[in-house]
């Protein structure tokens, strides 16, 4: 096994600390509660380590101060519901981010140094009172969580080749990052004169590489929507167009059909997600886009604002799906949203459904002072939508959306708000700040700067949970690992062994309605039910499929899900924990599933002798050890979580 980075050990050690805590807070399933306040407004957010969420803002006049300047970075502890400030030094205004394959988080780009009102400093590009921020345009910032929980940002020391305001960051199969698009300075949409129709890599592989697609799709090309595909091609969507791009030859591998549906990139801001990849769908990579705003390319204007009044324009209800690597990809219409939505955000739930929340019913993201928006500060979106919805990708067409049992949220989440999955399967929501600087006195108070943190609870939140997985690292191909299933894991019903699975979720880097890098994969598995009448057995779980483009290397969470109810998420390292070669080997066969014995007392409605039970099954591991066990000291600290039943 490859040597493990410190990050893996840190994640495991921290897991040991929280593993004893279950979903410990009284919660209303399908409801939410305000769990506290952040010190910086949650424009960007990611789950960095067990129980820890990093919240990033732009440079602005937050009251909290660190190192003699206002803070715009913070780490929130989801268990103690308290936070520590972080010393981010360059302006993270509309940056992009993602985790590297070695567990370090990276945040790229942003805007120039600003003072009050978000105005340029005098002299321009100087670090001056009162905000003392550095130029973030080309900044590359790094955060490596540690087990002492005292790490901070490495900021102001590393730079990209180009300035990038609104860049997209996507992980590649070797754990390095693609950083693409954006423009030099701020604006509502991209201006040709300051466009960055190119991309670069981190770690750097030389100068930026031109990408014509990001010129063709002007001005709707900021935060271009991009996903690494199984082939290694990059699927990129901007304007109403889409391509598969070959990063080896720097050419378009295949032009995909254009959509006639709504605009999807910022500031139209559709909700986007790659649908869960499962053995049942053979890890097909299909991407879902919901909402956005239906206006033609030539009405989006320029950096100063749109050429129409977005506040009069309902956001779109339309959902569309595309499978970019299908033989003949098409934009397939999916079930409509209940209401049109811009800046809606998808977050995977461990059960394989997707939460959809946040955003507005009218208008767009972005802001600019216009004659028509004086009452709402400078927001270009209005009518916050408080209704979360759940999307079931396996449901029949016509019944994929549900709001049954789901209350309205309490806090509006307009432009510059975020939502991220937590270990217990709940979702933390933060931010909302369609303002150039901290503002509390807009006439419409729901457009003021928002600090409240609200946590949302899925319908199964209070149910007894299966045992947390004892896994710290998962390789690509090569074998499987065993998960013991106790009577309590199976809710004392042996038939539930047929509905047990292990899923891997990367919650990603949340900003602007997109959780960049967010991916969900169910690992292949078979089961052995014990044959002696006890309600117990073993799940045989394959390592990652032998292709690191399907689910890229780096940190993620693993859940044991039984009958739709997940364990607490276990932070794991996918791949070697290093950048570069991921030691990919062929997958090995799993033992055939072995069903429970047919009960002797069965009174004739037994369907037979059990499926898949031919062949003898030992229940032992079929291949090479799946896990790098790492430091025994660390791993033995991990306490298996005993399922807890809570009363609401
Ligand atoms: C991960 O890789 C990046 C880029 O090379 C580097 O800056 C960072 O220090 C690495 N992190 C660890 C934990 O080695
Ligand atoms: C920012 O600049 C604008 C335009 O020059 C000016 O009207 C405004 O007063 C400035 N804001 C602050 C807080 O200085
Ligand atoms: C599943 O996908 C793999 C890799 O793309 C392919 O080789 C295989 O034929 C597919 N299997 C089925 C049943 O479609
Ligand atoms: C509130 O608005 C007034 C003018 O409308 C402005 O002078 C003042 O600075 C604002 N206060 C805050 C805290 O934004
Ligand atoms: C806005 O003000 C109203 C009336 O004071 C209050 O009920 C409401 O909670 C406030 N909303 C926000 C988002 O602050
Ligand atoms: C046991 O679980 C299966 C599904 O896994 C369910 O169909 C069945 O009704 C359950 N039996 C009891 C007694 O709850
Ligand atoms: C049933 O078999 C399993 C696996 O061999 C064993 O761990 C368990 O103790 C047995 N239970 C009973 C009641 O015999
Ligand atoms: C899952 O594992 C079984 C048994 O090894 C194998 O036959 C099947 O092809 C695998 N499915 C996928 C999608 O890899
Ligand atoms: C169960 O197995 C027995 C013995 O192999 C066989 O005779 C019988 O037909 C089987 N029943 C079913 C429903 O397959
Ligand atoms: C977790 O796995 C490690 C390594 O395989 C093992 O030593 C340890 O006993 C396991 N802990 C539990 C609680 O199962
Ligand atoms: Cu922004």
């Amino acid at each position: 096994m490859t040597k493990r980075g410190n990050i893996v050990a840190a994640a495991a050690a921290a897991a040991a600390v929280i593993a004893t805590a279950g979903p410990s807070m009284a919660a209303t399933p399908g409801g939410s509660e305000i769990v506290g306040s952040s010190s910086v407004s949650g424009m960007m957010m990611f789950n960095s380590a067990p129980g820890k969420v990093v919240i990033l803002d732009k440079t602005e006049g937050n009251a909290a101060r660190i190192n003699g300047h206002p803070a715009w970075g913070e780490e929130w502890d989801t268990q103690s519901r308290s936070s520590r400030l972080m010393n981010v030094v360059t302006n993270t205004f509309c940056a992009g981010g993602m985790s590297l394959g070695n567990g370090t988080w990276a945040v790229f780009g942003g805007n120039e140094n600003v003072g009050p009102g978000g105005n340029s400093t005098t002299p321009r590009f100087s670090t001056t009172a009162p905000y003392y921020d550095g130029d973030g345009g080309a900044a590359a910032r790094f955060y490596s969580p540690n087990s002492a929980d005292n790490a901070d940002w490495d900021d102001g020391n590393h730079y990209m080749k180009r300035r990038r305001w609104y860049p997209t960051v996507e992980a590649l199969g070797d754990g390095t990052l693609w950083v693409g698009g954006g423009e030099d300075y701020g604006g509502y949409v991209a201006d040709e004169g300051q466009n960055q129709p190119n991309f670069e890599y981190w770690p750097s592989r030389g100068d930026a590489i031109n990408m014509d697609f990001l010129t063709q799709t002007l001005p709707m090309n900021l935060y271009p929507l991009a996903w690494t595909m199984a082939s290694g091609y990059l699927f990129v969507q901007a304007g109403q167009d889409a391509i598969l791009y070959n990063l080896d030859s720097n050419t378009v591998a295949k032009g995909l059909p254009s959509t006639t549906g709504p605009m999807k990139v910022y500031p139209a801001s559709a909700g986007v997600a790659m649908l869960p990849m499962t053995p049942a769908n053979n890890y097909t990579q299909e991407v879902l886009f919901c909402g956005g705003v239906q206006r033609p390319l030539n009405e989006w204007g320029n950096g100063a604002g749109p050429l129409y009044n977005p506040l009069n324009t309902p956001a779109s209800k339309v959902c569309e799906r595309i499978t970019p690597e299908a033989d003949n990809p098409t934009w397939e219409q999916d079930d409509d949203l209940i209401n049109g939505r811009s800046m809606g955000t998808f977050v995977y739930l461990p059960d394989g459904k997707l939460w959809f929340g946040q955003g507005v019913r009218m208008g767009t993201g972005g802001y600019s002072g216009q004659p028509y928006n004086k009452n709402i500060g400078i927001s270009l979106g209005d009518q916050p939508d408080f209704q979360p919805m759940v999307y079931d990708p396996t449901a029949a067409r016509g019944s994929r959306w549900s709001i049954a049992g789901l209350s309205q949220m309490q806090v509006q989440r307009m432009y510059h708000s975020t939502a991220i999955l937590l270990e217990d399967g709940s979702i933390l929501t933060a931010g909302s700040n369609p303002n150039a600087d901290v503002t509390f006195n807009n006439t419409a108070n729901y457009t003021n700067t928002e600090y409240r943190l609200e946590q949302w609870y899925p319908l199964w939140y209070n149910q007894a949970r299966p045992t947390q997985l004892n896994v710290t690292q998962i390789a690509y191909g090569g074998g499987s690992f065993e998960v013991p299933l106790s009577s309590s894991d199976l809710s004392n019903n042996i038939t539930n062994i047929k509905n047990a699975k292990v899923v891997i979720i990367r919650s990603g880097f949340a900003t602007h309605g997109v959780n960049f890098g967010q991916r969900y994969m169910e690992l292949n598995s078979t089961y052995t039910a014990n044959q002696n009448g006890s309600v117990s057995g073993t799940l045989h779980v394959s390592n990652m499929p032998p292709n690191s483009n399907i689910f890229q290397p780096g940190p993620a969470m693993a859940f044991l899900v039984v009958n739709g109810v997940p364990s607490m998420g276990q932070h794991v390292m996918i791949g070697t924990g290093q950048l570069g070669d991921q030691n990919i080997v062929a997958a090995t066969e799993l033992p055939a599933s072995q069903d429970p014995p047919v009960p002797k007392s069965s009174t004739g409605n037994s369907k037979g002798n059990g499926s898949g039970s031919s062949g003898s099954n030992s229940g032992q591991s079929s291949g090479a050890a799946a896990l790098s066990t790492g430091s025994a000291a660390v791993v033995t600290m991990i306490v298996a979580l005993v399922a807890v039943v809570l009363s609401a």
Side-chain angles (χ1 to χ4, degrees), residues 349-384:
L349 298 172
D351 61 10
K353 297 178 182 172
L354 293 92
W355 178 90
F356 183 74
Q358 323 268 94
V360 299
R361 290 186 186 172
M362 300 294 285
T364 69
Y367 54 68
S368 80
Q370 300 285 346
Y372 50 73
N373 64 356
K374 287 187 167 45
N375 291 333
I376 55 171
I378 50 175
S379 179
L380 294 173
D382 200 2
Q383 296 187 21

Side-chain angles (χ1 to χ4, degrees), residues 283-309:
Y283 307 119
T284 296
Q285 297 179 308
E286 185 168 12
V287 185
L288 172 66
F289 302 75
C290 282
V293 177
Q294 183 87 50
R295 298 295 286 212
L297 205 56
N298 63 9
E299 291 188 14
W300 288 89
N302 52 37
L307 302 181
Y308 69 98
N309 177 356

Side-chain angles (χ1 to χ4, degrees), residues 86-111:
M86 300 178 113
N87 190 34
V88 183
V89 300
T90 60
N91 187 356
T92 39
F93 185 16
C94 305
M98 190 42 197
S99 49
L100 282 150
N102 62 8
T104 292
W105 286 83
V107 173
F108 298 96
N111 210 0

Side-chain angles (χ1 to χ4, degrees), residues 530-534 536:
N530 288 338
Q531 298 297 304
N532 57 8
S534 80
S536 60

Side-chain angles (χ1 to χ4, degrees), residues 42-47 53 343-348 355-358 409 413 416-422 426-431 454 456 507-516 518:
M43 174 196 269
M44 295 164 264
M45 185 157 71
F46 58 94
N47 181 331
V53 172
M343 299 179 280
T345 304
F346 278 112
V347 177
Y348 298 121
W355 178 90
F356 183 74
Q358 323 268 94
M409 304 284 287
R413 299 295 181 194
H416 287 159
S417 65
T418 45
I420 202 90
L421 178 69
L422 302 181
S426 67
I427 293 172
L428 185 68
T429 69
E454 184 173 2
W456 178 86
S507 49
F509 181 92
T511 194
H512 290 78
V514 183
N515 289 17
F516 287 100
Q518 187 175 220

Side-chain angles (χ1 to χ4, degrees), residues 189-239:
V189 292
D191 289 305
E192 189 157 15
Q194 54 158 333
N195 192 27
Q196 287 290 0
N198 54 61
F199 62 90
E200 58 191 281
Y201 296 96
W202 198 278
S204 179
R205 301 183 198 169
D207 201 0
I209 296 162
N210 185 60
M211 192 181 202
D212 291 340
F213 182 75
L214 295 175
T215 301
Q216 291 154 13
T217 49
L218 274 167
M220 292 299 280
N221 67 358
L222 296 177
Y223 282 135
L225 298 166
W227 289 264
T228 296
M229 303 303 295
S231 63
Y233 293 157
L234 196 68
F235 168 55
V236 192
Q237 201 285 321

Side-chain angles (χ1 to χ4, degrees), residues 106-128:
V107 173
F108 298 96
N111 210 0
E112 65 182 274
N113 324 56
V114 295
N119 290 350
S120 300
T121 54
T122 311
R124 220 174 148 188
F125 303 112
S126 60
T127 295
T128 50

